[in-house]
Amino acid sequence: MLDAGLVCHLGVTVDGAPLVLPTGYGRIGDVLYLHGSSAATSLRAAEATPVCVTVTLVDGIVYARSAFSHSVNYRCAVVHGLARRVDDGTEKLAGLRALAEHMAPGSWGHVREPTRKELAATLLLALDTTEASVKVRSGPPGDEDDDVATAQCWAGVLPVVTTWGEPQPCPQLEAGVAVPGYVANRS
Amino acid sequence: MLDAGLVCHLGVTVDGAPLVLPTGYGRIGDVLYLHGSSAATSLRAAEATPVCVTVTLVDGIVYARSAFSHSVNYRCAVVHGLARRVDDGTEKLAGLRALAEHMAPGSWGHVREPTRKELAATLLLALDTTEASVKVRSGPPGDEDDDVATAQCWAGVLPVVTTWGEPQPCPQLEAGVAVPGYVANRS
Protein backbone atom coordinates (compact mmCIF):
# COMPACT_ATOMS: atom_id res chain seq x y z
CA MET A 1 0.00 0.00 0.00
CA LEU A 2 2.79 2.42 0.88
CA ASP A 3 4.34 1.62 -2.48
CA ALA A 4 1.13 2.47 -4.35
CA GLY A 5 0.79 6.00 -2.95
CA LEU A 6 2.52 9.05 -4.38
CA VAL A 7 2.66 11.48 -1.49
CA CYS A 8 2.00 11.02 2.20
CA HIS A 9 0.55 13.47 4.69
CA LEU A 10 2.96 14.18 7.53
CA GLY A 11 1.41 15.34 10.77
CA VAL A 12 3.57 17.07 13.37
CA THR A 13 2.85 19.23 16.38
CA VAL A 14 4.09 22.82 16.07
CA ASP A 15 3.53 25.17 19.03
CA GLY A 16 0.93 22.78 20.43
CA ALA A 17 -1.16 22.65 17.25
CA PRO A 18 -1.18 19.97 14.57
CA LEU A 19 0.31 20.72 11.16
CA VAL A 20 -0.41 18.41 8.21
CA LEU A 21 1.59 18.74 5.00
CA PRO A 22 1.95 16.63 1.87
CA THR A 23 5.42 15.14 1.58
CA GLY A 24 7.26 12.79 -0.75
CA TYR A 25 8.48 9.52 0.67
CA GLY A 26 10.34 6.33 -0.10
CA ARG A 27 10.78 3.01 1.63
CA ILE A 28 13.62 0.60 2.32
CA GLY A 29 12.32 -2.50 4.08
CA ASP A 30 10.47 -1.38 7.20
CA VAL A 31 11.87 2.16 7.14
CA LEU A 32 10.01 5.08 5.59
CA TYR A 33 12.10 8.04 4.46
CA LEU A 34 10.73 11.57 4.19
CA HIS A 35 12.70 14.55 3.02
CA GLY A 36 12.49 18.27 2.63
CA SER A 37 14.46 21.45 3.00
CA SER A 38 16.61 21.71 6.13
CA ALA A 39 14.83 25.03 6.63
CA ALA A 40 11.28 23.56 6.62
CA THR A 41 9.47 24.16 9.91
CA SER A 42 7.34 21.03 9.61
CA LEU A 43 10.27 18.71 9.03
CA ARG A 44 12.42 20.29 11.72
CA ALA A 45 9.47 19.97 14.10
CA ALA A 46 9.26 16.28 13.24
CA GLU A 47 12.72 15.41 14.54
CA ALA A 48 12.65 13.18 17.60
CA THR A 49 8.99 13.96 18.35
CA PRO A 50 5.91 11.83 17.72
CA VAL A 51 4.75 12.11 14.13
CA CYS A 52 1.97 10.56 12.09
CA VAL A 53 2.41 9.70 8.43
CA THR A 54 -0.71 8.80 6.48
CA VAL A 55 -0.92 7.47 2.93
CA THR A 56 -4.40 7.37 1.42
CA LEU A 57 -5.61 5.90 -1.85
CA VAL A 58 -9.15 6.83 -2.87
CA ASP A 59 -10.62 3.99 -4.92
CA GLY A 60 -14.21 5.06 -5.49
CA ILE A 61 -17.25 7.01 -4.39
CA VAL A 62 -19.99 4.88 -2.84
CA TYR A 63 -23.46 6.10 -3.83
CA ALA A 64 -25.89 4.64 -1.33
CA ARG A 65 -29.68 4.78 -1.06
CA SER A 66 -29.54 6.89 2.07
CA ALA A 67 -27.36 9.94 2.71
CA PHE A 68 -26.12 8.29 5.89
CA SER A 69 -24.69 5.32 3.97
CA HIS A 70 -22.84 7.38 1.35
CA SER A 71 -19.20 6.48 1.65
CA VAL A 72 -15.82 6.32 -0.01
CA ASN A 73 -13.85 3.24 -0.94
CA TYR A 74 -10.27 3.80 0.13
CA ARG A 75 -7.11 2.27 1.47
CA CYS A 76 -5.18 4.09 4.13
CA ALA A 77 -1.97 3.33 5.99
CA VAL A 78 -1.25 5.26 9.18
CA VAL A 79 2.25 5.15 10.65
CA HIS A 80 2.96 6.48 14.13
CA GLY A 81 6.38 6.90 15.63
CA LEU A 82 9.38 9.00 16.45
CA ALA A 83 11.11 10.31 13.36
CA ARG A 84 14.89 10.03 13.38
CA ARG A 85 17.04 12.53 11.49
CA VAL A 86 19.44 10.74 9.16
CA ASP A 87 22.95 12.20 9.35
CA ASP A 88 25.03 9.24 8.20
CA GLY A 89 26.14 9.97 4.63
CA THR A 90 25.65 6.44 3.34
CA GLU A 91 22.16 6.03 4.78
CA LYS A 92 21.22 9.54 3.64
CA LEU A 93 22.14 8.83 0.04
CA ALA A 94 20.36 5.46 0.16
CA GLY A 95 17.26 7.09 1.64
CA LEU A 96 17.20 9.85 -0.96
CA ARG A 97 17.64 7.25 -3.67
CA ALA A 98 14.67 5.28 -2.30
CA LEU A 99 12.68 8.52 -2.32
CA ALA A 100 13.63 9.29 -5.92
CA GLU A 101 12.88 5.72 -6.95
CA HIS A 102 9.45 5.98 -5.35
CA MET A 103 8.57 9.35 -6.89
CA ALA A 104 10.34 8.90 -10.23
CA PRO A 105 11.20 5.22 -10.65
CA GLY A 106 14.05 4.45 -13.02
CA SER A 107 15.44 7.97 -13.00
CA TRP A 108 18.24 7.64 -10.44
CA GLY A 109 20.72 6.07 -12.84
CA HIS A 110 20.28 8.97 -15.27
CA VAL A 111 20.28 12.09 -13.11
CA ARG A 112 23.13 13.89 -11.39
CA GLU A 113 23.49 12.66 -7.82
CA PRO A 114 23.30 15.18 -4.96
CA THR A 115 26.39 17.22 -4.14
CA ARG A 116 27.72 17.58 -0.61
CA LYS A 117 26.08 21.03 -0.45
CA GLU A 118 22.72 19.70 -1.68
CA LEU A 119 22.89 16.88 0.87
CA ALA A 120 23.48 19.44 3.62
CA ALA A 121 20.47 21.45 2.45
CA THR A 122 18.28 18.34 2.62
CA LEU A 123 16.73 17.08 5.83
CA LEU A 124 16.04 13.35 5.70
CA LEU A 125 13.85 11.68 8.30
CA ALA A 126 13.50 7.96 8.93
CA LEU A 127 10.42 6.39 10.46
CA ASP A 128 9.91 2.79 11.46
CA THR A 129 6.74 1.40 9.82
CA THR A 130 6.30 -1.60 12.10
CA GLU A 131 3.63 0.34 14.03
CA ALA A 132 1.51 0.99 10.94
CA SER A 133 -2.21 0.40 10.87
CA VAL A 134 -4.21 -0.08 7.72
CA LYS A 135 -7.85 0.82 7.08
CA VAL A 136 -9.74 -0.33 4.02
CA ARG A 137 -13.30 0.25 2.79
CA SER A 138 -14.28 -1.60 -0.35
CA GLY A 139 -17.30 -3.01 -2.10
CA PRO A 140 -20.87 -1.86 -2.68
CA PRO A 141 -22.97 0.42 -0.44
CA GLY A 142 -24.00 -0.96 2.94
CA ASP A 143 -27.60 0.22 2.93
CA GLU A 144 -30.21 -0.95 5.42
CA ASP A 145 -32.54 -3.66 4.12
CA ASP A 146 -35.49 -1.25 4.31
CA ASP A 147 -33.69 1.21 2.06
CA VAL A 148 -32.74 -1.52 -0.42
CA ALA A 149 -36.38 -2.58 -0.58
CA THR A 150 -37.91 0.87 -0.99
CA ALA A 151 -35.37 3.15 -2.64
CA GLN A 152 -35.92 4.26 -6.22
CA CYS A 153 -32.46 5.67 -6.83
CA TRP A 154 -29.33 4.18 -8.37
CA ALA A 155 -26.79 2.76 -5.95
CA GLY A 156 -23.28 1.59 -6.58
CA VAL A 157 -19.67 2.64 -6.82
CA LEU A 158 -18.08 5.18 -9.14
CA PRO A 159 -14.40 4.18 -9.33
CA VAL A 160 -11.70 6.82 -9.09
CA VAL A 161 -8.98 6.04 -11.62
CA THR A 162 -5.55 7.64 -11.49
CA THR A 163 -3.46 7.43 -14.63
CA TRP A 164 -0.51 9.19 -16.24
CA GLY A 165 -1.00 11.88 -18.86
CA GLU A 166 1.16 12.68 -21.88
CA PRO A 167 4.74 13.47 -20.77
CA GLN A 168 5.50 17.20 -21.11
CA PRO A 169 9.17 17.76 -22.06
CA CYS A 170 11.01 20.59 -20.30
CA PRO A 171 11.08 23.65 -22.61
CA GLN A 172 14.88 23.72 -22.13
CA LEU A 173 15.30 20.13 -23.28
CA GLU A 174 17.42 19.71 -26.40
CA ALA A 175 15.48 18.60 -29.46
CA GLY A 176 15.61 14.87 -30.12
CA VAL A 177 15.79 13.63 -26.52
CA ALA A 178 13.27 10.82 -26.52
CA VAL A 179 10.93 10.18 -23.57
CA PRO A 180 12.57 7.24 -21.78
CA GLY A 181 10.70 4.06 -21.09
CA TYR A 182 10.74 4.65 -17.33
CA VAL A 183 8.58 7.74 -17.95
CA ALA A 184 6.57 6.70 -21.02
CA ASN A 185 5.67 3.27 -19.63
CA ARG A 186 5.41 4.10 -15.95
CA SER A 187 2.99 1.70 -14.32
CA MET B 1 -9.15 24.26 -4.70
CA LEU B 2 -11.13 22.89 -1.76
CA ASP B 3 -13.91 22.10 -4.21
CA ALA B 4 -11.56 20.12 -6.48
CA GLY B 5 -10.37 17.71 -3.79
CA LEU B 6 -12.19 14.54 -2.77
CA VAL B 7 -10.96 13.87 0.75
CA CYS B 8 -9.01 16.00 3.16
CA HIS B 9 -6.49 14.92 5.78
CA LEU B 10 -7.55 15.95 9.27
CA GLY B 11 -4.78 16.39 11.80
CA VAL B 12 -5.59 16.37 15.51
CA THR B 13 -3.56 15.88 18.67
CA VAL B 14 -4.47 12.75 20.63
CA ASP B 15 -2.59 12.11 23.88
CA GLY B 16 0.08 14.58 22.83
CA ALA B 17 0.79 12.93 19.49
CA PRO B 18 -0.48 13.94 16.06
CA LEU B 19 -3.06 11.78 14.31
CA VAL B 20 -3.76 12.26 10.60
CA LEU B 21 -6.78 10.62 9.00
CA PRO B 22 -8.52 10.96 5.63
CA THR B 23 -11.97 12.48 5.99
CA GLY B 24 -14.78 13.57 3.71
CA TYR B 25 -15.69 17.22 3.69
CA GLY B 26 -18.03 19.80 2.24
CA ARG B 27 -18.11 23.56 2.14
CA ILE B 28 -20.72 26.29 2.58
CA GLY B 29 -19.17 29.70 1.95
CA ASP B 30 -16.16 30.05 4.24
CA VAL B 31 -17.11 27.12 6.45
CA LEU B 32 -15.70 23.64 5.96
CA TYR B 33 -17.74 20.74 7.32
CA LEU B 34 -16.22 17.40 8.32
CA HIS B 35 -18.15 14.44 9.60
CA GLY B 36 -17.74 11.00 10.99
CA SER B 37 -19.07 8.65 13.58
CA SER B 38 -19.85 10.17 16.97
CA ALA B 39 -17.66 7.36 18.31
CA ALA B 40 -14.56 8.26 16.26
CA THR B 41 -11.59 9.15 18.45
CA SER B 42 -10.07 11.51 15.90
CA LEU B 43 -13.23 13.52 15.41
CA ARG B 44 -14.03 13.69 19.12
CA ALA B 45 -10.44 14.83 19.72
CA ALA B 46 -10.96 17.59 17.16
CA GLU B 47 -13.76 19.31 19.09
CA ALA B 48 -12.76 22.73 20.38
CA THR B 49 -9.03 22.05 19.97
CA PRO B 50 -6.65 23.27 17.25
CA VAL B 51 -6.91 21.15 14.13
CA CYS B 52 -5.30 21.21 10.73
CA VAL B 53 -7.15 20.21 7.58
CA THR B 54 -5.13 19.71 4.43
CA VAL B 55 -6.41 19.11 0.91
CA THR B 56 -3.80 18.09 -1.64
CA LEU B 57 -4.08 17.66 -5.39
CA VAL B 58 -1.11 15.99 -7.09
CA ASP B 59 -0.83 17.30 -10.64
CA GLY B 60 2.37 15.74 -11.93
CA ILE B 61 5.79 14.26 -11.27
CA VAL B 62 8.66 16.59 -12.12
CA TYR B 63 11.60 14.68 -13.62
CA ALA B 64 14.64 16.93 -13.28
CA ARG B 65 18.25 16.52 -14.45
CA SER B 66 19.53 16.25 -10.88
CA ALA B 67 18.09 14.15 -8.09
CA PHE B 68 17.96 17.28 -5.91
CA SER B 69 15.63 19.06 -8.33
CA HIS B 70 13.15 16.19 -8.69
CA SER B 71 9.81 17.48 -7.51
CA VAL B 72 6.05 17.15 -7.60
CA ASN B 73 3.57 19.57 -9.10
CA TYR B 74 0.75 19.96 -6.64
CA ARG B 75 -1.80 22.27 -5.11
CA CYS B 76 -2.38 22.19 -1.41
CA ALA B 77 -4.72 24.10 0.91
CA VAL B 78 -3.98 24.05 4.63
CA VAL B 79 -6.65 25.22 7.05
CA HIS B 80 -5.86 25.85 10.71
CA GLY B 81 -8.38 26.58 13.38
CA LEU B 82 -10.60 25.47 16.18
CA ALA B 83 -13.23 23.00 15.07
CA ARG B 84 -16.73 23.64 16.36
CA ARG B 85 -19.18 20.79 16.92
CA VAL B 86 -22.44 21.44 15.12
CA ASP B 87 -25.46 20.64 17.30
CA ASP B 88 -28.11 22.87 15.74
CA GLY B 89 -30.40 20.62 13.70
CA THR B 90 -30.79 22.99 10.77
CA GLU B 91 -27.07 23.67 10.38
CA LYS B 92 -26.29 19.98 10.86
CA LEU B 93 -28.57 18.94 8.03
CA ALA B 94 -27.22 21.73 5.80
CA GLY B 95 -23.63 20.72 6.58
CA LEU B 96 -24.31 17.05 5.87
CA ARG B 97 -26.01 18.02 2.64
CA ALA B 98 -22.94 20.09 1.64
CA LEU B 99 -20.80 17.07 2.44
CA ALA B 100 -22.96 14.74 0.35
CA GLU B 101 -23.04 17.26 -2.49
CA HIS B 102 -19.24 17.45 -2.40
CA MET B 103 -18.66 13.69 -2.30
CA ALA B 104 -21.60 12.63 -4.47
CA PRO B 105 -22.93 15.72 -6.28
CA GLY B 106 -26.52 15.52 -7.43
CA SER B 107 -27.43 12.62 -5.19
CA TRP B 108 -29.08 14.45 -2.26
CA GLY B 109 -32.42 14.88 -3.97
CA HIS B 110 -32.64 11.14 -4.64
CA VAL B 111 -31.50 9.49 -1.42
CA ARG B 112 -33.27 9.07 1.88
CA GLU B 113 -32.39 11.91 4.24
CA PRO B 114 -30.86 11.12 7.64
CA THR B 115 -33.19 10.07 10.45
CA ARG B 116 -33.02 11.61 13.89
CA LYS B 117 -31.11 8.53 15.08
CA GLU B 118 -28.62 8.75 12.22
CA LEU B 119 -28.11 12.45 12.90
CA ALA B 120 -27.33 11.64 16.53
CA ALA B 121 -24.80 9.01 15.44
CA THR B 122 -23.05 11.56 13.24
CA LEU B 123 -20.56 14.06 14.57
CA LEU B 124 -20.36 17.14 12.38
CA LEU B 125 -17.53 19.63 12.79
CA ALA B 126 -17.35 23.13 11.32
CA LEU B 127 -14.10 24.91 10.59
CA ASP B 128 -13.63 28.48 9.43
CA THR B 129 -11.48 28.53 6.26
CA THR B 130 -10.52 32.20 6.41
CA GLU B 131 -7.12 31.21 7.86
CA ALA B 132 -6.29 28.89 4.97
CA SER B 133 -2.96 28.98 3.23
CA VAL B 134 -2.37 27.65 -0.25
CA LYS B 135 0.83 26.20 -1.69
CA VAL B 136 1.30 25.50 -5.37
CA ARG B 137 4.17 24.03 -7.41
CA SER B 138 3.68 24.00 -11.15
CA GLY B 139 5.66 24.07 -14.36
CA PRO B 140 8.83 22.39 -15.61
CA PRO B 141 11.83 21.30 -13.52
CA GLY B 142 13.93 24.05 -11.95
CA ASP B 143 17.36 22.64 -12.74
CA GLU B 144 20.58 24.60 -12.33
CA ASP B 145 21.96 26.08 -15.58
CA ASP B 146 25.00 23.78 -15.37
CA ASP B 147 22.74 20.73 -15.26
CA VAL B 148 20.63 21.97 -18.17
CA ALA B 149 23.80 22.44 -20.21
CA THR B 150 25.45 19.10 -19.43
CA ALA B 151 22.69 16.59 -18.65
CA GLN B 152 21.94 13.83 -21.12
CA CYS B 153 18.69 12.67 -19.58
CA TRP B 154 15.09 13.51 -20.35
CA ALA B 155 13.52 16.19 -18.19
CA GLY B 156 9.93 17.27 -17.93
CA VAL B 157 6.64 16.61 -16.23
CA LEU B 158 4.56 13.44 -16.21
CA PRO B 159 1.00 14.59 -15.46
CA VAL B 160 -1.12 12.70 -12.95
CA VAL B 161 -4.66 12.42 -14.29
CA THR B 162 -7.59 11.47 -12.09
CA THR B 163 -10.73 10.32 -13.86
CA TRP B 164 -13.86 8.32 -13.16
CA GLY B 165 -14.12 4.66 -14.09
CA GLU B 166 -17.16 2.72 -15.25
CA PRO B 167 -19.97 2.94 -12.65
CA GLN B 168 -20.42 -0.38 -10.80
CA PRO B 169 -24.08 -0.96 -9.88
CA CYS B 170 -24.82 -2.35 -6.45
CA PRO B 171 -25.48 -6.13 -6.71
CA GLN B 172 -28.77 -5.56 -4.86
CA LEU B 173 -29.96 -2.96 -7.37
CA GLU B 174 -33.14 -3.88 -9.21
CA ALA B 175 -32.61 -4.64 -12.88
CA GLY B 176 -33.33 -1.73 -15.17
CA VAL B 177 -32.30 1.13 -12.90
CA ALA B 178 -30.24 3.32 -15.23
CA VAL B 179 -27.07 5.05 -14.12
CA PRO B 180 -28.21 8.65 -13.52
CA GLY B 181 -26.51 11.57 -15.24
CA TYR B 182 -25.09 12.89 -11.98
CA VAL B 183 -23.03 9.67 -11.77
CA ALA B 184 -22.42 8.87 -15.45
CA ASN B 185 -21.43 12.43 -16.38
CA ARG B 186 -19.71 13.48 -13.18
CA SER B 187 -17.10 16.11 -13.98
Side-chain angles (χ1 to χ4, degrees):
Chain A
M1 234 232 70
L2 288 174
D3 295 338
L6 276 177
V7 301
C8 66
H9 280 80
L10 167 66
V12 296
T13 305
V14 178
D15 298 334
L19 173 65
V20 178
L21 290 176
T23 308
Y25 66 93
R27 193 179 62 83
I28 301 177
D30 284 341
V31 180
L32 201 67
Y33 289 99
L34 312 174
H35 82 323
S37 161
S38 298
T41 312
S42 59
L43 232 59
R44 284 215 321 273
E47 283 179 53
T49 61
V51 301
C52 181
V53 170
T54 300
V55 175
T56 304
L57 304 171
V58 176
D59 294 322
I61 306 297
V62 182
Y63 291 76
R65 296 155 179 93
S66 70
F68 187 73
S69 293
H70 269 1
S71 190
V72 174
N73 282 343
Y74 72 101
R75 290 162 285 160
C76 169
V78 179
V79 183
H80 287 280
L82 290 179
R84 165 176 64 86
R85 191 179 76 196
V86 177
D87 289 318
D88 173 75
T90 307
E91 185 185 3
K92 196 163 185 178
L93 198 63
L96 290 174
R97 179 178 179 151
L99 241 143
E101 287 297 337
H102 179 75
M103 301 308 291
S107 67
W108 188 266
H110 302 274
V111 299
R112 178 178 61 69
E113 290 196 13
T115 61
R116 198 176 288 251
K117 198 176 153 192
E118 288 172 345
L119 282 175
T122 305
L123 179 58
L124 185 72
L125 295 176
L127 184 64
D128 188 344
T129 63
T130 45
E131 277 205 49
S133 61
V134 172
K135 285 178 77 175
V136 175
R137 201 263 175 231
S138 63
D143 282 304
E144 303 289 334
D145 290 345
D146 277 1
D147 289 321
V148 173
T150 60
Q152 300 297 313
C153 67
W154 186 83
V157 175
L158 182 62
V160 175
V161 180
T162 302
T163 55
W164 304 110
E166 198 61 39
Q168 301 167 342
C170 175
Q172 292 187 285
L173 195 68
E174 259 181 79
V177 179
V179 180
Y182 62 83
V183 175
N185 308 320
R186 181 168 180 172
S187 60
Chain B
M1 230 231 75
L2 288 174
D3 296 338
L6 276 177
V7 300
C8 66
H9 280 81
L10 167 67
V12 296
T13 305
V14 178
D15 298 334
L19 174 65
V20 178
L21 290 176
T23 309
Y25 66 94
R27 192 178 63 82
I28 300 177
D30 286 340
V31 180
L32 201 67
Y33 290 98
L34 312 175
H35 81 324
S37 160
S38 298
T41 312
S42 60
L43 231 59
R44 284 216 320 274
E47 281 181 52
T49 61
V51 301
C52 181
V53 170
T54 300
V55 175
T56 304
L57 305 171
V58 176
D59 294 321
I61 306 297
V62 181
Y63 290 76
R65 294 152 181 97
S66 70
F68 187 73
S69 292
H70 269 359
S71 189
V72 174
N73 282 345
Y74 71 102
R75 288 163 287 160
C76 169
V78 179
V79 182
H80 288 279
L82 290 179
R84 166 176 64 87
R85 191 180 75 195
V86 178
D87 289 317
D88 173 76
T90 307
E91 185 184 3
K92 195 163 184 179
L93 197 62
L96 291 174
R97 180 178 179 151
L99 241 143
E101 286 296 337
H102 179 76
M103 301 309 291
S107 67
W108 188 266
H110 303 273
V111 298
R112 178 179 60 69
E113 290 197 14
T115 61
R116 198 177 288 250
K117 198 175 156 193
E118 288 173 341
L119 284 175
T122 304
L123 179 57
L124 185 72
L125 295 177
L127 184 64
D128 188 343
T129 62
T130 45
E131 277 204 49
S133 62
V134 172
K135 285 178 78 175
V136 175
R137 202 261 176 231
S138 63
D143 281 304
E144 302 290 333
D145 291 345
D146 277 3
D147 288 322
V148 173
T150 59
Q152 301 297 311
C153 67
W154 186 84
V157 174
L158 182 63
V160 174
V161 180
T162 303
T163 55
W164 305 110
E166 199 61 40
Q168 300 166 343
C170 175
Q172 292 186 284
L173 196 67
E174 257 182 80
V177 180
V179 180
Y182 61 83
V183 175
N185 308 318
R186 181 166 181 175
S187 61

